[in-house]
Amino acid sequence: MEVLNKLYEMTAFGAIGEDPSTLVMLALALFLLYLGIVKRFEPLLLVPIAFGVLLANFPGGNMAVTPSTEIIEHMTILEIAKEHGIMNMLYYMLIKTGLLPPLIFMGVGAMTDFGPMLRNLKLAFFGAAAQIGIFTVLISAVALGFSLKEAAALGIIGGADGPTAIYTAIKLAPNLLGPIAIAAYSYMALVPVIIPLVVKFTVSEKELKINMKEQDKLYPSKVKIKDLNRTKIIFPIVLCAIVSILVPSSVPLVGMLLFGNLIKEIGSDTNRLMVAASETIMNVATIFLGLTVGATMTAATFLDQTTLLIILGGFIAFAISIFGGIMAVKMHNIFSNKKINPLIGATGLSAVPMASRVANDIALKYDDKNHLLQYAMSSNISGVIGSAVAAGVLISFLS
Amino acid sequence: MESNISNALVLLAIGMITVFLILALVVISGNILIKIVNNYTPKPTKKFSRNYRSATVTAPETLAAIETAVETVTAGHGKVESIQKVEN
């Protein structure tokens, strides 16, 4: 009998029985795995996050991230690994230091082509307009009782940029990291649902039929690019200098994005670096980011009213950002002869390139010759810069 | 609470102005950069004629494949000017 008791104590059954809320978290982990594997919602990140939730919530596994305390912050990495397990070691080494989001941004930069943006520079303004959701939700969250730092971390979900949302949460509200990461990546995965929904209620059929190529023929651009390759090499260096001088706190994100882009644009001479940034480093960073963020979500930290408010607030921030981009295009169309399809404004979110693909698909439904992917990519890429700059502003004012 | 909301409103104003300012600078600097690069781009001295036919390469699709391969390998810096058969 004593042997059976010891066997029972060795397993996790006893601990699960004592705290049934663990079962809710395990069910949530399985649901997220279902979304990632079966529904293919951002599987590259949702699967590691979901598995991190699973690992963290099996009692006795010592894989849950312990909330930051002064004692832990003064421990060495070795001491954290010994006392709190390897997941805490990874969390305090890679997440708490803010290392992984910039590494992911470097990979994103190495996969980004600034060509469409350079060919349609004016459209970059709509990437700025689409950041309005971040700040409006910040105000609403403060009104609901969140602290300024927490509200800022919540609002940044409206930028539709996972690494930026995580980076801001690490800097301003690490206690909300788990729900913010889940909300940000879930809504990014739901871009094909959310953009058409907002477009349906805000854009007329006539506006959706605005053909960007025909408008270009009617009102051609005054600036022609003779050497795009050389321009694309110099552009990230110039852009890095501008952002570094004006918003230094956004440099860890924007700077790494532009470095990744530079090593891509140089070509064969730095090809190995580009491959490392966009594949090896990016993949390793994604695995550790997903697992450690998932491991922050235990029943004690996740199952409360705040999480629900974050999920709801994130959706509203997302929708307002899309709405802001669309309204900016509509305003432009009132004052300009050259009309722009409002779908270009809807792609001012980060979510590259999914937002652009969705906008292109919607445009093709109304006019099968209206391929606006290249135009949408311009505001989409500027949205990445815009949300990182917005994060930089929030961090420098609030941290 | 009220001071937090007024701080949030200040953040809204500063944040949106900064984002617009940065992207405006991106547009302006991008345009200046394009003009500068355009000015310093050397004019092509010898243009490769698409009608060129060597003794061995005649098919237009083969010609297009060679041009694409050169452009990819040299990241757009190289241009095909002539095609010659190398005798072994």
Side-chain angles (χ1 to χ4, degrees):
Chain A
M1 194 62 191
E2 199 177 318
V3 175
L4 283 176
N5 264 340
K6 279 191 175 172
L7 266 175
Y8 179 73
E9 281 168 16
M10 185 192 79
T11 64
F13 289 116
I16 290 174
E18 279 171 23
D19 184 10
S21 60
T22 306
L23 289 173
V24 179
M25 293 307 294
L26 293 176
L28 174 74
L30 294 175
F31 176 64
L32 292 175
L33 278 173
Y34 166 78
L35 290 181
I37 298 167
V38 181
K39 294 286 177 185
R40 294 181 173 177
F41 281 7
E42 294 278 336
L44 287 177
L45 225 113
L46 215 49
V47 171
I49 288 180
F51 213 82
V53 180
L54 203 63
L55 292 175
N57 286 284
F58 280 121
N62 207 19
M63 291 291 266
V65 168
T66 311
S68 173
T69 60
E70 208 165 309
I71 298 169
I72 292 181
E73 287 189 1
H74 286 92
M75 289 167 90
T76 63
I77 292 298
L78 198 63
E79 286 168 340
I80 292 175
K82 272 184 182 173
E83 285 190 29
H84 298 282
I86 54 162
M87 195 62 91
N88 276 287
M89 183 197 81
L90 289 172
Y91 175 80
Y92 283 95
M93 200 168 65
L94 304 176
I95 298 286
K96 196 72 180 159
T97 53
L99 174 68
L100 292 185
L103 288 184
I104 290 181
F105 252 61
M106 179 173 73
V108 171
M111 292 189 285
T112 300
D113 181 7
F114 279 117
M117 192 170 131
L118 285 164
R119 278 190 285 264
N120 303 286
L121 270 169
K122 206 172 79 173
L123 302 180
F125 280 115
F126 302 119
Q131 307 309 320
I132 189 74
I134 295 174
F135 297 99
T136 45
V137 166
L138 188 159
I139 296 167
S140 314
V142 166
L144 283 172
F146 282 89
S147 72
L148 259 176
K149 286 184 179 182
E150 289 173 341
L154 197 170
I156 207 78
I157 297 172
D161 194 314
T164 304
I166 289 174
Y167 186 76
T168 313
I170 292 165
K171 295 286 175 190
L172 298 179
N175 53 317
L176 303 181
L177 179 60
I180 284 174
I182 284 291
Y185 279 101
S186 303
Y187 294 137
M188 279 169 68
L190 288 172
V191 159
V193 178
I194 302 174
I195 288 183
L197 187 75
V198 179
V199 165
K200 187 180 168 186
F201 291 107
T202 51
V203 187
S204 69
E205 195 176 327
K206 190 185 166 194
E207 287 172 316
L208 288 169
K209 283 182 178 170
I210 295 173
N211 190 309
M212 296 298 291
K213 280 184 184 158
E214 281 175 13
Q215 290 294 318
D216 263 355
K217 278 179 195 164
L218 287 171
Y219 308 97
S221 171
K222 288 172 192 164
V223 185
K224 299 273 179 224
I225 305 173
K226 287 184 189 167
D227 189 344
L228 183 62
N229 290 317
R230 201 168 292 180
T231 311
K232 284 203 288 187
I233 291 173
I234 304 171
F235 184 67
I237 302 169
V238 173
L239 187 53
C240 186
I242 292 172
V243 176
S244 304
I245 291 166
L246 291 175
V247 194
S249 50
S250 65
V251 172
L253 291 175
V254 180
M256 293 300 272
L257 176 93
L258 296 171
F259 169 68
N261 186 255
L262 179 65
I263 55 177
K264 169 190 173 278
E265 294 303 341
I266 290 171
S268 54
D269 288 348
T270 50
N271 189 50
R272 282 167 55 193
L273 301 185
M274 188 273 281
V275 172
S278 62
E279 292 178 15
T280 321
I281 296 172
M282 176 88 161
N283 292 344
V284 172
T286 306
I287 288 173
F288 287 131
L289 185 86
L291 283 175
T292 45
V293 166
T296 61
M297 295 195 296
T298 56
T301 59
F302 193 81
L303 294 179
D304 63 11
Q305 197 189 348
T306 310
T307 302
L308 279 177
L309 287 173
I310 289 170
I311 303 284
L312 181 69
F315 177 81
I316 295 169
F318 222 89
I320 293 175
S321 289
I322 298 168
F323 177 75
I326 290 172
M327 287 302 130
V329 173
K330 286 183 176 232
M331 292 273 284
H332 168 276
N333 286 351
I334 293 171
F335 299 106
S336 173
N337 290 329
K338 185 177 180 177
K339 304 296 177 199
I340 293 172
N341 194 312
L343 287 166
I344 305 298
T347 58
L349 298 165
S350 295
V352 179
M354 199 195 284
S356 297
R357 281 200 211 122
V358 172
N360 190 53
D361 289 345
I362 298 172
L364 289 174
K365 268 185 202 168
Y366 290 88
D367 175 0
D368 59 4
K369 286 176 187 162
N370 194 7
H371 295 273
L372 49 74
L373 187 68
Q374 289 296 309
Y375 301 93
M377 281 298 287
S378 176
S379 65
N380 209 179
I381 293 166
S382 71
V384 178
I385 299 166
S387 60
V389 169
V393 171
L394 294 173
I395 291 167
S396 61
F397 270 82
L398 299 173
S399 63
Chain B
M1 168 75 88
E2 272 181 26
S3 70
N4 269 354
I5 288 185
S6 62
N7 284 339
L9 286 167
V10 170
L11 274 174
L12 164 76
I14 293 174
M16 286 308 288
I17 290 169
T18 310
V19 173
F20 268 104
L21 179 72
I22 295 276
L23 287 172
L25 286 172
V26 167
V27 174
I28 295 165
S29 61
N31 278 322
I32 294 170
L33 180 64
I34 290 166
K35 281 176 188 163
I36 293 171
V37 173
N38 282 353
N39 282 340
Y40 286 94
T41 301
K43 285 178 185 169
T45 48
K46 196 177 169 187
K47 245 196 162 177
F48 173 62
S49 164
R50 292 281 306 191
N51 296 325
Y52 174 84
R53 294 285 181 272
S54 75
T56 52
V57 185
T58 50
E61 47 282 21
T62 312
L63 208 58
I66 292 170
E67 282 180 310
T68 311
V70 168
E71 195 169 330
T72 307
V73 169
T74 62
H77 298 297
K79 292 275 178 284
V80 179
E81 291 190 348
S82 65
I83 300 166
Q84 287 179 331
K85 185 181 179 186
V86 179
E87 297 291 344
N88 288 319

